[in-house]
Amino acid sequence: MNKKQQQNTGKLKIIPLGGLEQIGMNITAFEYEDSIIVVDCGLAFPEDDMLGIDLVIPDVTYLKDNIDKVKGFVISYLKENEEKVKGFFITHGHEDHIGAIPYVMKELNVPIYATKLTNGLIENKLKEHGLLTKVKRKVVKYGQHINLGNFRVEFIRTNHSIQ
């Protein structure tokens, strides 16, 4: 095998943490080797049979518990996640894409990348939960590339009712 072939032996894992077969709670993790990025962080509103439930937030246990056990010991999840989970990329500002951010960031505080309008909506949520100064946010522009770990992410323009 040549050097280029050796570099591409890892496998991309796509881990849907919510949003499949339902409306709402969009959140998907992409993992490649020692890097994880997350796209969206939404919530869902309860169904009629979910009495007493106000909001349905995604289960981020995979992100919290993704611990290095190879060496025979467990590293605390915060240290491991800081090293492995590189950031959250938010596609747009609908509740089913941003609504769970304050709840998830209380458990897993990593940078959030979003466009200016979406970032403004996220800031309101973080302020409401007393997290505005604790969570890093980075405003991106369409066409901009972000390199994080083993990923390169480009923001593209979309036609949707909010961006």
Short mmCIF file of all heavy atoms in Angstrom, two decimals, residues 62-70 73-78 80-81 84:
data_model
loop_
_atom_site.label_atom_id
_atom_site.label_comp_id
_atom_site.label_asym_id
_atom_site.label_seq_id
_atom_site.Cartn_x
_atom_site.Cartn_y
_atom_site.Cartn_z
N TYR A 62 -24.05 8.87 23.55
CA TYR A 62 -22.94 8.42 22.71
C TYR A 62 -21.80 9.42 22.75
O TYR A 62 -20.64 9.05 22.84
CB TYR A 62 -23.39 8.19 21.27
CG TYR A 62 -22.25 7.72 20.39
CD1 TYR A 62 -21.90 6.38 20.37
CD2 TYR A 62 -21.52 8.60 19.61
CE1 TYR A 62 -20.85 5.93 19.59
CE2 TYR A 62 -20.46 8.16 18.84
CZ TYR A 62 -20.13 6.82 18.83
OH TYR A 62 -19.08 6.39 18.06
N LEU A 63 -22.13 10.70 22.70
CA LEU A 63 -21.09 11.72 22.72
C LEU A 63 -20.43 11.80 24.10
O LEU A 63 -19.22 11.95 24.21
CB LEU A 63 -21.68 13.08 22.35
CG LEU A 63 -22.27 13.18 20.95
CD1 LEU A 63 -22.92 14.53 20.75
CD2 LEU A 63 -21.23 12.91 19.89
N LYS A 64 -21.23 11.71 25.16
CA LYS A 64 -20.68 11.79 26.51
C LYS A 64 -19.88 10.55 26.88
O LYS A 64 -18.88 10.64 27.58
CB LYS A 64 -21.81 11.98 27.53
CG LYS A 64 -22.46 13.33 27.42
CD LYS A 64 -23.44 13.64 28.53
CE LYS A 64 -24.12 12.46 29.12
NZ LYS A 64 -25.12 12.78 30.12
N ASP A 65 -20.33 9.40 26.43
CA ASP A 65 -19.70 8.15 26.84
C ASP A 65 -18.68 7.61 25.86
O ASP A 65 -18.22 6.49 26.01
CB ASP A 65 -20.77 7.08 27.07
CG ASP A 65 -21.66 7.41 28.26
OD1 ASP A 65 -21.26 8.28 29.07
OD2 ASP A 65 -22.74 6.82 28.37
N ASN A 66 -18.34 8.39 24.87
CA ASN A 66 -17.37 7.94 23.88
C ASN A 66 -15.97 8.08 24.50
O ASN A 66 -15.24 9.02 24.25
CB ASN A 66 -17.50 8.78 22.61
CG ASN A 66 -16.76 8.15 21.48
OD1 ASN A 66 -16.13 7.11 21.62
ND2 ASN A 66 -16.82 8.78 20.34
N ILE A 67 -15.63 7.11 25.33
CA ILE A 67 -14.44 7.18 26.16
C ILE A 67 -13.38 6.21 25.67
O ILE A 67 -13.66 5.09 25.27
CB ILE A 67 -14.82 6.87 27.62
CG1 ILE A 67 -15.80 7.92 28.13
CG2 ILE A 67 -13.60 6.82 28.52
CD1 ILE A 67 -16.41 7.59 29.45
N ASP A 68 -12.13 6.64 25.73
CA ASP A 68 -11.00 5.82 25.31
C ASP A 68 -10.74 4.73 26.35
O ASP A 68 -10.25 5.00 27.44
CB ASP A 68 -9.77 6.70 25.15
CG ASP A 68 -8.57 5.95 24.63
OD1 ASP A 68 -8.71 4.78 24.25
OD2 ASP A 68 -7.49 6.55 24.60
N LYS A 69 -11.07 3.49 26.00
CA LYS A 69 -10.86 2.37 26.91
C LYS A 69 -9.75 1.45 26.40
O LYS A 69 -9.49 0.42 26.97
CB LYS A 69 -12.15 1.58 27.08
CG LYS A 69 -13.26 2.40 27.69
CD LYS A 69 -14.54 1.62 27.79
CE LYS A 69 -15.64 2.50 28.34
NZ LYS A 69 -16.93 1.87 28.34
N VAL A 70 -9.09 1.84 25.33
CA VAL A 70 -8.08 0.99 24.70
C VAL A 70 -6.93 0.68 25.64
O VAL A 70 -6.42 -0.42 25.68
CB VAL A 70 -7.55 1.67 23.42
CG1 VAL A 70 -6.42 0.88 22.80
CG2 VAL A 70 -8.68 1.85 22.42
N PHE A 73 -7.98 1.87 30.86
CA PHE A 73 -8.52 2.78 31.86
C PHE A 73 -9.46 3.75 31.17
O PHE A 73 -9.45 3.90 29.97
CB PHE A 73 -7.42 3.52 32.62
CG PHE A 73 -6.54 4.37 31.74
CD1 PHE A 73 -6.86 5.70 31.51
CD2 PHE A 73 -5.41 3.84 31.15
CE1 PHE A 73 -6.04 6.48 30.71
CE2 PHE A 73 -4.59 4.62 30.34
CZ PHE A 73 -4.91 5.94 30.13
N VAL A 74 -10.27 4.40 31.96
CA VAL A 74 -11.28 5.31 31.43
C VAL A 74 -10.85 6.74 31.69
O VAL A 74 -10.51 7.11 32.81
CB VAL A 74 -12.65 5.03 32.09
CG1 VAL A 74 -13.68 6.03 31.63
CG2 VAL A 74 -13.10 3.62 31.78
N ILE A 75 -10.86 7.56 30.65
CA ILE A 75 -10.58 8.98 30.77
C ILE A 75 -11.92 9.68 31.01
O ILE A 75 -12.93 9.29 30.43
CB ILE A 75 -9.93 9.50 29.47
CG1 ILE A 75 -8.62 8.77 29.23
CG2 ILE A 75 -9.73 11.00 29.52
CD1 ILE A 75 -8.02 9.05 27.87
N SER A 76 -11.96 10.67 31.84
CA SER A 76 -13.22 11.35 32.13
C SER A 76 -13.85 11.84 30.83
O SER A 76 -13.16 12.26 29.92
CB SER A 76 -13.00 12.53 33.07
OG SER A 76 -12.39 13.59 32.40
N TYR A 77 -15.17 11.79 30.75
CA TYR A 77 -15.84 12.09 29.48
C TYR A 77 -15.59 13.51 29.02
O TYR A 77 -15.51 13.78 27.84
CB TYR A 77 -17.33 11.75 29.53
CG TYR A 77 -18.22 12.81 30.12
CD1 TYR A 77 -18.68 13.87 29.35
CD2 TYR A 77 -18.64 12.74 31.44
CE1 TYR A 77 -19.51 14.82 29.89
CE2 TYR A 77 -19.46 13.70 31.97
CZ TYR A 77 -19.89 14.73 31.20
OH TYR A 77 -20.72 15.68 31.72
N LEU A 78 -15.45 14.47 29.92
CA LEU A 78 -15.22 15.84 29.47
C LEU A 78 -13.89 15.96 28.74
O LEU A 78 -13.82 16.55 27.69
CB LEU A 78 -15.25 16.79 30.67
CG LEU A 78 -16.63 17.11 31.22
CD1 LEU A 78 -16.51 17.98 32.46
CD2 LEU A 78 -17.51 17.78 30.19
N GLU A 80 -12.15 13.60 27.24
CA GLU A 80 -12.22 12.85 25.99
C GLU A 80 -13.04 13.60 24.96
O GLU A 80 -12.68 13.70 23.81
CB GLU A 80 -12.82 11.46 26.24
CG GLU A 80 -13.00 10.64 24.99
CD GLU A 80 -11.70 10.28 24.30
OE1 GLU A 80 -10.63 10.37 24.92
OE2 GLU A 80 -11.76 9.91 23.11
N ASN A 81 -14.19 14.13 25.38
CA ASN A 81 -15.04 14.83 24.43
C ASN A 81 -14.40 16.10 23.92
O ASN A 81 -14.55 16.46 22.77
CB ASN A 81 -16.40 15.13 25.06
CG ASN A 81 -17.28 13.91 25.05
OD1 ASN A 81 -17.23 13.13 24.11
ND2 ASN A 81 -18.06 13.72 26.08
N LYS A 84 -12.20 14.79 21.25
CA LYS A 84 -12.80 14.08 20.12
C LYS A 84 -13.95 14.84 19.45
O LYS A 84 -14.01 14.92 18.25
CB LYS A 84 -13.28 12.71 20.60
CG LYS A 84 -13.42 11.72 19.49
CD LYS A 84 -13.50 10.31 20.03
CE LYS A 84 -13.46 9.34 18.88
NZ LYS A 84 -13.47 7.96 19.28
#
